[in-house]
Every structure is written in C-alpha cells, then in structure tokens.
C-alpha cells in the first residue's frame, strides 16, 4: 500500500494599488502595456523602490498563518530567462524570507489537522504571453511587477481532500485579511502541487514531481489522483520517478512532463544590490497585528462553542467571509442556530455557487424558525428557499398563501397511511417478511398524497404501527 505526500506552493497577487517596485497601477484587465514604466519593463539603469504596503500585506498573511516574522529580511535575484520578464531575473527572496514556520488547521475525517507553513516570501509577478493565431506570440507587460506572496507548505498533506481543505482554508484566511481578491479565474491565486509517493509506514519521502498552476479545486483534485496513480504504477512496474515539472492537461485529465526540475543553485540567487534589507520593528509588527480582522478560526470557535455546531459545519460556514457574515446576521433572528446552519449548508451554499445570496438573512431565519416549530417540514423548508430566492416576499404570508404548513394531525395522517397501505399489499408482505426498507416507499406515497406537507416523523411512527398489524 502506498500513500501520497504533498506540499503546496501557492502564489497570491496582492491587491495593492501600485506595483511592488514602481508606481504603476495593478488593475486587472487594462489595455495591454498601458500600466508599465522603465522600472517594471526592466530597463538598464533603473532602480527599484520597495512598496511598503507589500511588506505590510505579506506580514499580515504571515501573522494570520502563525508565522514568525523576520526582523531583518532581504531580497534576492533569481536568474533565468523568462520571455515575459525582460530583466531576465525575478526579484524574490531566497534564504531570508519575511515569514517562516507557521501553520494552519484543516478539518479532516479524523478531526482537526495542522499543516505546516514553511515560509511566505514576497516577489514580483512576470508579464503574460498571449498566443495569437495570426499575430504570433504577444507580450503584455502589465503584470510585470505586480506584487506576489508565495506561501510554501510543509509536505504534511496526505490526500487530495486534505490538499483542497488546505487550499480553501488558506484562501479564506487571505480573503479575511483583505490583502488579495483571490480570484482563481484571474490568476490572483495559483497553486503548484508537489507530490511523491511512498510505502505506508516508510520514513523516507519518495522523489516528487511538481504540477504547476492548477487554477481550480476540481483540477487540483483530479491532477493529484492521476499523478498518484501514475507514480505508483511506475514504481510497481520497476521504474523510477524523476524529479520534474509536469503540466496537468484539463482535457485528458492527465499530467505530462514539461522539464526536469531545476535545483535552486541553477538560479544563481544573489542578494539584490539595489534593495535595502527589510527591517520590521516590534512596534510596526504590533501595529500590523492590530489591523488584522477576526479570522475564520476565531469565528468558527464561536459557532462551535456558542451555537453547538460541529467543527466541520463551522468550517463550511467560515470558508467565505460573506457566508459567515450572512450566517451571523440570520442567526440573530433564528431560534435554533443548528437548523439555520443546516439550511445554509444544504441549500444556500448550493445556490450561491452561481449567484450572490439572494434571500434576506431575516427571511431565511423565518424559514428556519418555521421548521424548528414543526410548522413546515425540512423538505418544504428547502424547497421554499429555492422558490423565494431572488423574490421579495414575506415568508409567513407566502407559506399561508401556498398552503405549505406541515400536517401534524395524527388522525388525518393516519387516513393517508391506511390508504397507502391498502394500495400496496405486496410491499406490506415484504415489510412483514423483514424487508423493512420498503417503509420508504410508503412514506413517499403519503408525502405525495399530502403535497409533501406531512410530518415525516409522525408518518413513520404511524406506518411502523400499522404495517405490523
Ligand atoms: P522548490 O522551490 O524547488 O519547488 P521547495 O523546497 O520550496 O522547492 O519545496 C517545494 C514544495 O515541495 C514544498 O511545498 C514542500 O513541502 C514540497 N516537498 C518537498 N519534498 C517533497 C516530497 N518528497 N514529496 C512531496 N512534496 C515535497
Ligand atoms: Mg517549486
Ligand atoms: Zn512600472
């Protein structure tokens, strides 16, 4: 049996107004090559000046992920030929990154797990190559010099689910700190997956491959599953994994070799002589710390302790700040926060995959209260959310007008139960002979007869009584 070992490198564009070493704007989607100057174009003789906001934002990310912040940190040149970075080196950080030794926590099937964060450093982004069928390859330098942080995890991740949980948590934390919009489709959040395999119980790590720039949760999942299988099959058939960079192809769902991996000494890193060391005083650190708003885990803790939610559900609600804000507003009106949380997790989160939340928090709380008071059943509650999505209606009026109130009347329900039993003598025999699962089909029939309004608990009780008679 093999297990996978994964470490992620995540690049995140910071949403500062201006670039990391010049005053050019960073707005996404501007006309190509309109947000450039001699500094970010890499003209000889120009001098970079570090944007203080970049340092502040990176420190925010570091503090939010429990990192130690270096008092003195430096910037280095990473040399290689990039067609989209005219200087032919990238200013990054090598051996003295701004932030180190942090961690974040994810929820797994076996409870909470810590994933180590090796380092967070600042660097500049490269431009963009546009491959045009008629004109050939064009270069847009607007992105040259857009500030990035790179967040490198320890190889602590052991499954695709954990990788995604980590990436989602990191994204949530960054969004809460306000330093990036984390738009994966615009490239402001990009993920490289490093993966190796080893026999379960082995101490040594295997040789890893790196899959670059995976830009959706689904691709991360698929790329990991494919690459794990590929490496295991390779080893089992007597082959050897080589350290290389691989590309994930969305269409075939496979990974392909791009190039064997450079070692860091190939980059000829050296300290950038044009830039001063970055010095972070205790006072400055304290100020940045005081500016960080409550983070997902802090809110999660409140939901678990005060509202009785499971850690897992609380994690789902805090993944997006808007959802957490919404939940808290609605919770203000809801008698039972668990019922409310369930409605958000099972219904609202599905609907917001393609939309903003289009139901006022108070209305959702009213639905939750009706369900909690047994006035509507849970399937009606869910359907109601869909029905009044994006409509401005009064929930209680709507429920009355559409006759959605739950039927709790035992005498009335018993009539429906007896009818359903009389309609299907064969299933009654099945039930009596031990196939108790057929009770589901009877429940379904009673629901059908009552327009979905029957109280399912009472119906089940009545059926259990009547079916054995
Ligand atoms: P590089 O910059 O050359 O990609 P790093 O030392 O920054 O190298 O590591 C990159 C990532 O690879 C880290 O997230 C680390 O956790 C992960 N990693 C290192 N060794 C392994 C391994 N054997 N298997 C899986 N992941 C690994
Ligand atoms: Mg790497
Ligand atoms: Zn510029």
């Amino acid at each position: 049996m093999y297990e996978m070992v994964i470490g992620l490198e995540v690049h995140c564009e910071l949403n500062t107004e201006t670039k990391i070493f010049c005053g050019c704007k960073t707005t996404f989607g501007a006309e190509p090559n309109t947000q450039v100057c001699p500094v970010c174009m890499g003209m000889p003789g120009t001098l970079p000046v570090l944007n203080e906001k970049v340092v502040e934002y990176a420190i925010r990310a570091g503090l939010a992920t429990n990192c130690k912040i270096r008092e003195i940190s430096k910037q280095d040149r990473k040399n290689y030929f990039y067609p989209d970075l005219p200087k032919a080196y990238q200013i990054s950080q090598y051996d003295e990154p701004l932030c180190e030794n942090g961690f974040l926590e994810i929820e797994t099937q076996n409870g909470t797990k810590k994933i180590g964060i090796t380092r967070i450093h600042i660097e500049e982004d490269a431009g963009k190559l546009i491959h045009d069928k008629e004109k050939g390859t064009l270069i847009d330098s607007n992105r040259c010099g857009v500030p990035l942080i790179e967040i490198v995890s320890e190889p602590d991740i052991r499954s695709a689910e954990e990788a995604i949980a980590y990436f989602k948590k990191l994204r949530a934390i960054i969004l809460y700190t306000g330093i990036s919009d984390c738009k994966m489709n615009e490239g402001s959040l990009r993920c490289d997956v490093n993966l190796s395999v080893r026999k379960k119980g082995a101490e040594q790590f295997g040789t890893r491959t790196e899959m670059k720039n995976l830009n959706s949760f689904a691709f991360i999942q698929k790329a990991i599953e494919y690459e794990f299988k590929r490496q295991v099959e390779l080893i089992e058939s007597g082959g050897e994994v080589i350290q290389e960079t691989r590309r994930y192809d969305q269409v075939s769902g496979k990974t392909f070799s791009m190039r064997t991996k450079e070692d860091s000494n190939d980059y000829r890193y050296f300290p950038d002589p044009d830039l001063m060391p970055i010095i972070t005083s205790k006072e400055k650190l304290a100020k940045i710390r005081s500016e960080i708003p409550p983070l997902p885990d802090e809110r999660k803790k409140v939901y678990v302790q005060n509202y009785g939610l499971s850690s897992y559900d609380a994690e789902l609600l805090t993944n997006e700040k808007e959802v957490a804000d919404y939940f808290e507003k609605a919770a203000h009106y809801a008698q039972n926060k668990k019922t409310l949380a369930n409605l958000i997790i099972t219904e609202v989160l599905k609907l917001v995959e393609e939309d903003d939340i289009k139901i006022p928090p108070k209305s959702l709380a009213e639905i939750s209260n009706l369900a909690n008071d047994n006035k509507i059943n849970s399937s009606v509650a869910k359907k109601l959310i869909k029905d009044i999505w994006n409509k401005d209606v009064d929930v209680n009026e709507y429920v009355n007008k559409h006759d959605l109130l739950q039927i709790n009347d035992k005498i009335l329900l018993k009539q429906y139960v007896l009818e359903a039993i009389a309609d299907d003598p064969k299933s009654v025999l099945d039930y009596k002979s031990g196939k108790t699962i057929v009770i589901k089909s009877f429940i379904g029939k009673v629901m059908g007869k009552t327009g979905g309004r029957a109280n399912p608990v009472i119906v089940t009780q009545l059926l259990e009584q009547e079916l054995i008679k």
Side-chain angles (χ1 to χ4, degrees), residues 351-365:
L351 294 167
V352 291
E353 270 170 27
E354 357 218 290
D355 205 350
D356 298 331
I357 304 183
K358 290 286 171 55
I359 179 167
K362 192 160 177 236
S363 302
L364 189 75

Side-chain angles (χ1 to χ4, degrees), residues 295-392:
L295 295 172
D297 280 350
E298 216 173 301
R299 297 172 79 162
K300 189 174 147 191
K301 214 162 127 196
V302 173
Y303 301 174
V304 172
Q305 286 178 353
N306 301 2
Y307 299 164
L309 303 191
S310 69
S311 304
Y312 190 83
D313 285 354
E315 180 95 358
L316 289 177
L317 291 175
T318 48
N319 266 340
E320 306 275 343
K321 187 165 176 294
E322 289 75 40
V323 174
D325 289 344
Y326 178 85
F327 170 65
E328 287 175 24
K329 274 190 206 136
H332 183 72
Y333 304 101
Q335 294 152 9
N336 186 325
K337 323 292 184 210
K338 265 188 167 169
T339 311
L340 174 71
N342 265 331
L343 288 176
I344 295 182
I345 291 165
T346 56
E347 291 310 303
V348 176
L349 287 185
K350 256 185 243 149
L351 294 167
V352 291
E353 270 170 27
E354 357 218 290
D355 205 350
D356 298 331
I357 304 183
K358 290 286 171 55
I359 179 167
K362 192 160 177 236
S363 302
L364 189 75
E366 281 167 357
I367 295 176
S368 163
N369 291 344
L370 286 170
N372 204 49
D373 289 342
N374 264 327
K375 291 200 176 122
I376 58 174
N377 65 33
S378 62
S379 39
V380 168
K382 288 178 187 172
K383 196 173 162 296
L384 199 51
I385 294 172
K386 271 191 222 120
D387 290 350
I388 70 168
W389 193 257
N390 216 356
K391 287 189 199 121
D392 184 22

Side-chain angles (χ1 to χ4, degrees), residues 390-456:
N390 216 356
K391 287 189 199 121
D392 184 22
V393 293
D394 181 288
V395 171
N396 288 296
E397 263 174 35
Y398 189 91
V399 166
N400 286 328
K401 194 168 134 204
H402 294 263
D403 208 10
L404 296 174
L405 286 178
Q406 176 160 268
I407 304 172
N408 296 317
D409 180 344
K410 277 197 182 158
I411 298 171
L412 183 57
L413 288 177
K414 190 165 169 184
Q415 283 175 17
Y416 289 118
V417 163
L418 292 176
E419 265 177 41
I421 288 178
D423 286 349
D424 190 358
K426 187 180 167 293
S427 294
V428 177
L429 287 179
D430 285 346
Y431 186 86
K432 285 185 173 153
S433 71
K435 260 182 77 185
T436 49
I437 186 83
V438 296
I439 198 166
K440 292 223 164 109
S441 99
F442 286 112
I443 297 172
K445 295 234 173 71
V446 175
M447 283 298 173
K449 286 173 192 285
T450 59
R453 292 160 52 223
N455 179 325

Side-chain angles (χ1 to χ4, degrees), residues 209-264:
T209 62
E210 178 178 20
M211 292 171 280
K212 284 258 182 219
N213 284 333
L214 295 163
N215 64 358
S216 86
F217 297 122
F219 294 153
I220 294 174
Q221 172 102 24
K222 286 189 191 141
I224 289 176
E225 281 164 4
Y226 178 85
E227 183 61 13
F228 175 66
K229 203 162 155 262
R230 188 190 72 85
Q231 290 189 14
V232 170
E233 281 170 3
L234 187 60
I235 293 169
E236 283 293 292
S237 65
E240 215 178 302
V241 176
I242 44 169
Q243 188 170 333
E244 62 185 354
T245 301
R246 298 181 69 86
R247 176 177 65 83
Y248 173 72
D249 178 61
Q250 302 170 8
V251 180
S252 63
K254 296 180 177 174
T255 63
F256 295 96
S257 178
M258 281 166 72
R259 55 185 146 96
T260 55
K261 173 90 182 126
E262 319 62 15
D263 268 329
S264 68

